Amino acid sequence: MSSDLEKRKQISVRGIADVENVTTLKKYFNRHLHFTLVKDRNIATPRDFFFALAYAVRDNLVSRWIRTQQYYYEKDPKRIYYLSLEYYMGRALQNTMINIGIQSSCDEAMYQVGLDIEDLQEIEEDAGLGNGGLGRLAACFLDSMATLGLAAYGYGIRYEYGIFAQKIRDGEQTEEPDDWLRFGNPWEKARPEYMIPVNFFGRVVDISNGRKWIDTQVVYAMPYDTPIPGYKNNIVNTLRLWSAKSPVEFNLKFFNDGDYIQAVLDRNLAENISRVLYPNDNSFGGKELRLKQEYFMCSATLQDIIRRYRLSAPANCPDARKSLDMLPDKVGIQLNDTHPALAIPELMRILVDIEGLPWEKAWKITTKVCAYTNHTVLPEALERWPVSMFEYLLPRHLEIIYKINYIHLQEIIMKYPGDLDRMRRMSLIEEDGEKRINMAYLSIIGSHAVNGVAFIHSEILKHDLFKDFYELTPEKFQNKTNGITPRRWLLLCNPALSDLIAEKIGEEWITHLDQLKQLKLFASSANFQRSIQNVKQENKYKVAKLFEEQYNIKINPASLFDIQVKRIHEYKRQLLNVLHVITLYNRIKANSQKTFVPRTVIIGGKAAPGYYMAKKIIKLINYISMVINNDPDIGDKLKLIFLENYRVTLAEKIIPSADLSEQISTAGTEASGTGNMKFMLNGALTIGTLDGANVEMAEEVGNKNIFIFGMTVSDVEELKKNGYDASKYYEANPELKLCIDQIQSGYFNKNKPEEFTDVADVLMKWDRFFTLADYDSYIKCQEKVNETYLNQEKWTEMAILNIASSGKFSSDRTIIEYAREIWGVEPTWEKLPHPNETVNQN
Ligand SMILES: *Cc1c(COP(=O)(O)O)cnc(C)c1O
């Protein structure tokens, strides 16, 4: 009896199981098993049960979805379009159940039919249509926009293959294709009736009143819609992803030649456009197929936006939307990095070539509609497409970009007469070497707002990367510090912590995360500290169990869990972490009698398949871990684990178990980071540099509750100016020297001693990210971490203060700022009426 009550209380924030809902869910589940999956209980596989449950849950979305869209149609608010080449959604089932408040009912329904809902959830494939932070941000934003009641749409590409699955073989990364649609996708609805043509190639000719793009090759864009439910507000927005479809008449040339078979086979060529996500994070590949993807998405999306704009003409004024003059009042387009920047010349082409608007008027509309978010300052990540590629693929867009540039440069020369160097610097067309189009510059010129994603990053944009443009139009530049959705990154992934928080301060934090500040009152309460410790310890046991079951690795659940999970990149400095691990190893070996704070260091992340050094770093980590984990002198004191195939689902499992979060990029390189926020919200302490959002995290929690080390942005500037000499640090610190020498001389691969010399060479000779310059302060800071960890009372108080100070980092706050300061719309927090005809209907 009391344990029943206990259980009921524990799951309260996920809704109370409702007898009527449970009955209906069971009925829908059984109906789908029978009619949709065509199975009976005896022959159904676990996957059949998953699909039956997913369809039953989806049924509960349908009325809300239709009614939300109907409501937008009637109310005709300004619609917000988020354009992104990436959406890193992860799984949808649990998130949907939580957001529409039927998780407990579903748990109970599955229990009553003899199934474990957690086992079923594990069958769902991640929607891995993203690389890392940028794609996950888009997913968090969709959740927040729906929760805040914005009439928002996500637009992107329905990649047939998402981010590759990472397998570690003999310590090395190998890639396997992510065939995520193999068993079907229960959440998407194809909309073949809204198929849209997209043109490529061809040529441009003069016509009486302008220019015309002719003789093009057409590919169709087929929309697939995914519902995006807001948190308990009965609002369901849409994520519309485009899939490439060959036109019926594709390659008729062959057909006429009589090669019918070849003509049919070649239809695949056009459909390759949406085949696969490019797996580069923070790096520009420059491949033609990628440019096709970008234009394909922009062209289809803009046609759809304009179709919907026209459709929403008020009944009493049917002509109101004949012209596109009102577009800025009814449409806001947010460009997630420059990947969808072709929306700017494409909108110009529609307005000028198709609608016949004068250039100046079209430009005013375009800049009022569009806004651009920059995500990186790394030069190798900035998109600079060769003009030659545009010449044949998008000839009319090239003309339009040239004209935009011509007018832009005229304005520069008017404002800065004679400053030819400024003209050269600010031209959208780079003339040195192969002619290229600078897509960031195009995005700035074509937008009314340009934002960075953390305070320090936005400052760097204004005063460094886009300095000239900031001087020209300072009013455009803004900051919008990134955030994460508290629904997925606390409520869903850490139920025990969610319940503990709800017990103390109620549930308002789920949609108003700043409410977590109320927890500060309990930071030094012995009782609350014990509860927080228990939750963390349980989460660590769970991860230890997962490692043992799935990877056959034994870890010490009493050790400090020190976690760095993110894409593998030199700027993120996994190597600095590695140097610390080797240092600990050497210290234990040299003094095995001494007591050490036991640590489990976990590093995870994917390397871009073509990024040689990132892959080498993974191999080094795996080889070091083989040495350390099998050394009897080390025992339980230190373990190093490389976590295979890090992705959204694994992030949800691992982050709640962290004691220490590693955010150690070179100052000035990580635009914001969002992983840092997930750890803070789940009660980990951060060791980090003053980079990206770490700066604001320190501001929120106070410097004494975060472990900050290393160079600041201005220290890094200074170091660059004076010339960086890694050998200076190497010679000055014997422990550092030993680590480098061990990497260099084959200590971690005795069979092939030269295996990691190239890694040591990078650190000593060509390190663009100054790893050795921060080694000393990092090691000292890690010693402070150990010291603090020995005082569990102190550590737990700091962890509570971190949770309590993480409210700023909700993506709800971020979206409210975009809405008010960029899009000119006001969040409503509106709730639509509950469509009780779905769940309660008989
Ligand atoms: C949040 C997240 C990221 C971004 O992490 P950073 O540490 O900010 O780079 C990358 N991958 C996944 C799966 C995530 O959930």
Side-chain angles (χ1 to χ4, degrees):
M1 184 66 197
S2 85
S3 88
D4 253 23
L5 216 78
E6 211 44 43
K7 182 141 196 232
R8 179 61 56 91
K9 199 173 92 192
Q10 263 183 29
I11 55 177
S12 67
V13 296
R14 276 159 301 285
I16 306 290
D18 171 280
V19 181
E20 217 174 331
N21 281 358
V22 172
T23 311
T24 318
L25 279 161
K26 278 197 300 188
K27 195 174 77 187
Y28 279 49
F29 173 86
N30 287 320
R31 196 179 278 172
H32 278 296
L33 197 62
H34 186 84
F35 287 103
T36 311
L37 298 153
V38 198
K39 288 279 180 82
D40 67 56
R41 278 299 304 259
N42 302 317
I43 60 158
T45 66
R47 179 166 285 106
D48 292 323
F49 292 131
F50 159 71
F51 272 95
L53 174 59
Y55 285 126
V57 169
R58 200 199 71 139
D59 289 347
N60 283 277
L61 279 173
V62 170
S63 294
R64 290 175 170 92
W65 198 4
I66 291 171
R67 288 166 57 139
T68 302
Q69 300 310 313
Q70 180 66 26
Y71 176 70
Y72 292 157
Y73 179 78
E74 285 159 12
K75 196 175 150 216
D76 191 31
K78 182 172 179 179
R79 287 167 160 98
I80 303 306
Y81 294 99
Y82 198 79
L83 270 59
S84 178
L85 269 285
E86 301 188 15
Y87 290 91
Y88 207 167
M89 305 292 284
R91 290 177 179 155
L93 176 57
Q94 197 186 354
N95 185 246
T96 304
M97 294 188 298
I98 286 174
N99 278 18
I100 60 179
I102 61 168
Q103 182 168 39
S104 296
S105 300
C106 289
D107 285 355
E108 181 63 23
M110 290 304 98
Y111 177 77
Q112 289 184 15
V113 297
L115 293 166
D116 182 342
I117 196 165
E118 292 191 17
D119 294 343
L120 298 187
Q121 285 169 185
E122 285 301 311
I123 292 165
E124 183 174 4
E125 298 273 349
D126 273 36
L129 309 184
N131 275 285
L134 175 146
R136 184 53 232 176
L137 185 77
C140 285
F141 279 5
L142 294 180
D143 182 83
S144 284
M145 290 189 291
T147 297
L148 292 167
L150 297 183
Y153 301 76
Y155 273 89
I157 293 177
R158 178 182 178 271
Y159 301 108
E160 204 175 313
Y161 294 87
I163 189 65
F164 62 85
Q166 178 191 57
K167 288 269 158 67
I168 303 298
R169 294 212 173 85
D170 304 324
E172 287 184 86
Q173 167 175 302
T174 57
E175 299 89 22
E176 286 182 1
D178 167 44
D179 194 3
W180 71 295
L181 296 167
R182 184 172 48 234
F183 297 104
N185 174 357
W187 307 108
E188 68 181 11
K189 177 72 189 84
R191 301 279 186 205
E193 69 276 25
Y194 295 124
M195 210 140 68
I196 286 176
V198 176
N199 295 283
F200 291 98
F201 305 107
R203 61 201 171 91
V204 187
V205 292
D206 273 319
I207 52 168
S208 60
N209 54 349
R211 302 278 284 164
K212 197 172 178 199
W213 186 18
I214 60 164
D215 292 348
T216 56
Q217 290 180 30
V218 175
V219 178
Y220 281 91
M222 162 113 85
Y224 285 77
D225 290 349
T226 300
I228 307 292
Y231 182 72
K232 291 186 179 171
N233 60 182
N234 299 314
I235 284 178
V236 180
N237 285 346
T238 302
L239 168 61
R240 175 160 282 188
L241 300 177
W242 302 105
S243 179
K245 278 295 280 179
S246 203
V248 174
E249 70 277 15
F250 187 78
N251 255 358
L252 223 59
K253 156 169 85 58
F254 277 116
F255 193 47
N256 294 336
D257 292 348
D259 198 345
Y260 162 74
I261 296 294
Q262 195 58 47
V264 174
L265 295 180
D266 282 355
R267 294 168 60 80
N268 279 322
L269 264 43
E271 294 173 3
N272 276 339
I273 289 178
S274 55
R275 196 76 67 203
V276 56
L277 168 76
Y278 275 92
N280 300 323
D281 185 68
N282 275 296
S283 137
F284 171 57
K287 290 285 188 288
E288 182 181 316
L289 182 61
R290 166 69 180 208
L291 182 59
K292 282 185 179 162
Q293 290 182 338
E294 294 183 357
Y295 180 64
F296 173 75
M297 201 278 273
C298 290
S299 171
T301 300
L302 277 172
Q303 293 179 64
D304 210 35
I305 289 172
I306 291 168
R307 178 192 59 77
R308 189 175 293 113
Y309 165 86
R310 290 220 153 97
L311 198 71
S312 297
N316 59 350
C317 193
D319 286 351
R321 300 297 167 75
K322 271 207 163 131
S323 91
L324 298 183
D325 292 15
M326 298 254 294
L327 212 58
D329 301 311
K330 292 295 168 189
V331 169
I333 293 178
Q334 192 67 37
L335 307 175
N336 195 22
D337 212 315
T338 60
H339 313 152
L342 282 168
I344 291 166
E346 174 67 359
L347 183 52
M348 284 300 288
R349 191 184 66 82
I350 293 169
L351 294 173
V352 173
D353 291 1
I354 299 175
E355 298 297 317
L357 292 190
W359 180 275
E360 295 70 26
K361 193 168 174 184
W363 186 244
K364 275 211 179 90
I365 293 174
T366 299
T367 53
K368 278 189 190 169
V369 164
C370 294
Y372 157 55
T373 304
N374 172 277
H375 285 272
T376 178
V377 302
L378 295 183
E380 66 269 36
L382 302 176
E383 289 191 301
R384 295 153 58 250
W385 289 106
V387 164
S388 59
M389 241 181 233
F390 271 68
E391 271 166 357
Y392 62 90
L393 197 63
L394 300 165
R396 179 59 184 140
H397 296 80
L398 182 58
E399 288 184 352
I400 289 168
I401 291 168
Y402 272 133
K403 180 156 177 182
I404 292 171
N405 194 38
Y406 177 80
I407 296 169
H408 161 62
L409 290 180
Q410 273 194 323
E411 283 169 15
I412 305 295
I413 210 65
M414 293 264 279
K415 197 157 175 194
Y416 306 95
D419 194 345
L420 293 179
D421 195 58
R422 185 182 296 262
M423 285 242 287
R424 182 193 55 74
R425 291 200 308 268
M426 296 185 74
S427 175
L428 308 190
I429 312 293
E430 299 177 1
E431 305 270 1
D432 50 329
E434 186 179 20
K435 269 209 207 180
R436 288 170 179 272
I437 304 169
N438 187 312
M439 302 304 279
Y441 294 174
L442 173 63
S443 302
I444 297 169
I445 298 291
S447 298
H448 70 282
V450 177
N451 73 282
V453 291
F455 172 79
I456 197 174
H457 167 61
S458 299
E459 290 300 303
I460 293 170
L461 293 187
K462 289 190 291 186
H463 301 120
D464 189 11
L465 191 63
F466 301 146
K467 186 172 188 290
D468 293 326
F469 291 86
Y470 177 59
E471 254 183 71
L472 184 68
T473 51
E475 70 282 357
K476 281 189 185 181
F477 285 78
Q478 301 193 22
N479 172 246
K480 296 285 166 283
T481 299
N482 281 166
I484 55 170
T485 172
R487 272 74 65 186
R488 184 174 294 260
W489 297 111
L490 181 51
L491 188 55
L492 181 154
C493 73
N494 201 341
L497 183 56
S498 299
D499 285 327
L500 179 55
I501 293 170
E503 208 176 276
K504 281 288 178 210
I505 65 169
E507 298 179 17
E508 213 184 286
W509 59 269
I510 300 170
T511 49
H512 297 84
L513 198 64
D514 53 338
Q515 288 300 315
L516 290 179
K517 65 176 181 282
Q518 292 183 58
L519 293 174
K520 285 179 188 171
L521 280 175
F522 310 104
S524 48
S525 143
N527 260 322
F528 190 60
Q529 285 188 4
R530 202 172 319 115
S531 306
I532 287 281
Q533 282 166 359
N534 288 342
V535 166
K536 183 63 76 181
Q537 195 56 60
E538 277 305 313
N539 290 336
K540 289 167 76 172
Y541 281 131
K542 263 198 211 156
V543 163
K545 190 161 159 267
L546 178 88
F547 280 13
E548 190 154 359
E549 285 172 3
Q550 307 228 331
Y551 312 104
N552 206 18
I553 306 171
K554 267 205 158 59
I555 58 176
N556 173 8
S559 63
L560 187 165
F561 280 22
D562 169 345
I563 307 187
Q564 184 178 29
V565 281
K566 49 183 73 241
R567 287 298 289 256
I568 308 292
H569 203 298
E570 286 165 280
Y571 86 82
K572 292 176 183 282
R573 296 201 299 194
Q574 279 90 3
L575 283 176
L576 184 58
N577 192 344
V578 164
L579 290 175
H580 173 242
V581 173
I582 301 174
T583 304
L584 289 182
Y585 169 76
N586 289 332
R587 284 182 183 179
I588 298 169
K589 290 289 275 185
N591 200 346
S592 55
Q593 305 305 50
K594 214 181 138 217
T595 58
F596 287 85
V597 176
R599 272 202 198 220
T600 302
V601 179
I602 299 168
I603 302 178
K606 292 172 184 175
Y611 186 172
Y612 173 83
M613 192 46 60
K615 290 182 134 178
K616 210 64 194 272
I617 291 168
I618 291 174
K619 188 167 187 182
L620 175 64
I621 295 166
N622 280 305
Y623 273 71
I624 294 173
S625 94
M626 283 188 272
V627 171
I628 293 180
N629 299 352
N630 296 311
D631 189 328
D633 295 351
I634 302 298
D636 253 10
K637 297 192 185 94
L638 180 63
K639 285 276 176 289
L640 174 61
I641 288 164
F642 186 83
L643 187 62
E644 186 180 74
N645 203 23
Y646 178 62
R647 61 197 188 283
V648 172
T649 296
L650 206 44
E652 290 164 9
K653 294 183 204 219
I654 194 91
I655 290 172
S657 80
D659 295 305
L660 187 66
S661 157
E662 299 269 353
Q663 308 298 336
I664 58 179
S665 53
T666 311
T669 66
E670 186 76 273
S672 164
T674 49
N676 47 4
M677 301 167 186
K678 298 167 197 166
F679 283 100
M680 184 187 194
L681 181 59
N682 283 277
L685 303 191
T686 300
I687 183 164
T689 48
L690 283 176
D691 196 21
N694 298 354
V695 176
E696 290 156 77
M697 285 165 48
E699 212 167 274
E700 294 296 305
V701 76
N703 278 312
K704 56 184 200 308
N705 296 308
I706 184 167
F707 300 100
I708 296 292
F709 72 95
M711 295 178 289
T712 61
V713 170
S714 60
D715 294 336
V716 172
E717 288 302 312
E718 186 75 8
L719 184 65
K720 275 185 204 168
K721 210 175 68 200
N722 300 334
Y724 169 61
D725 177 11
S727 67
K728 196 182 89 189
Y729 305 94
Y730 168 90
E731 297 296 349
N733 188 326
E735 284 193 295
L736 171 58
K737 182 170 185 303
L738 177 58
C739 294
I740 300 282
D741 290 346
Q742 286 169 324
I743 295 171
Q744 161 74 44
S745 67
Y747 187 95
F748 301 107
N749 187 355
K750 301 225 155 89
N751 295 323
K752 195 179 167 195
E754 72 285 4
E755 177 78 79
F756 300 115
T757 53
D758 49 4
V759 178
D761 279 352
V762 166
L763 289 173
M764 292 301 294
K765 296 177 193 163
W766 308 297
D767 182 7
R768 296 167 56 213
F769 303 105
F770 316 114
T771 309
L772 301 203
D774 274 342
Y775 172 84
D776 203 56
S777 104
Y778 181 54
I779 299 295
K780 292 207 168 86
C781 196
Q782 288 284 18
E783 286 165 4
K784 232 178 85 187
V785 168
N786 282 340
E787 213 179 283
T788 312
Y789 195 72
L790 285 173
N791 182 349
Q792 276 295 300
E793 207 176 296
K794 177 77 195 139
W795 183 279
T796 310
E797 182 182 1
M798 286 170 71
I800 294 166
L801 290 173
N802 268 268
I803 298 167
S805 308
S806 64
K808 176 176 177 185
F809 306 105
S810 167
S811 48
D812 298 344
R813 187 270 313 148
T814 312
I815 288 298
I816 290 168
E817 291 178 9
Y818 275 91
R820 291 181 178 154
E821 296 160 25
I822 296 180
W823 303 329
V825 296
E826 186 59 27
T828 60
W829 280 275
E830 197 165 0
K831 278 192 171 52
L832 293 185
H834 186 277
N836 36 16
E837 70 267 30
T838 311
V839 141
N840 292 331
Q841 131 197 101
N842 288 306

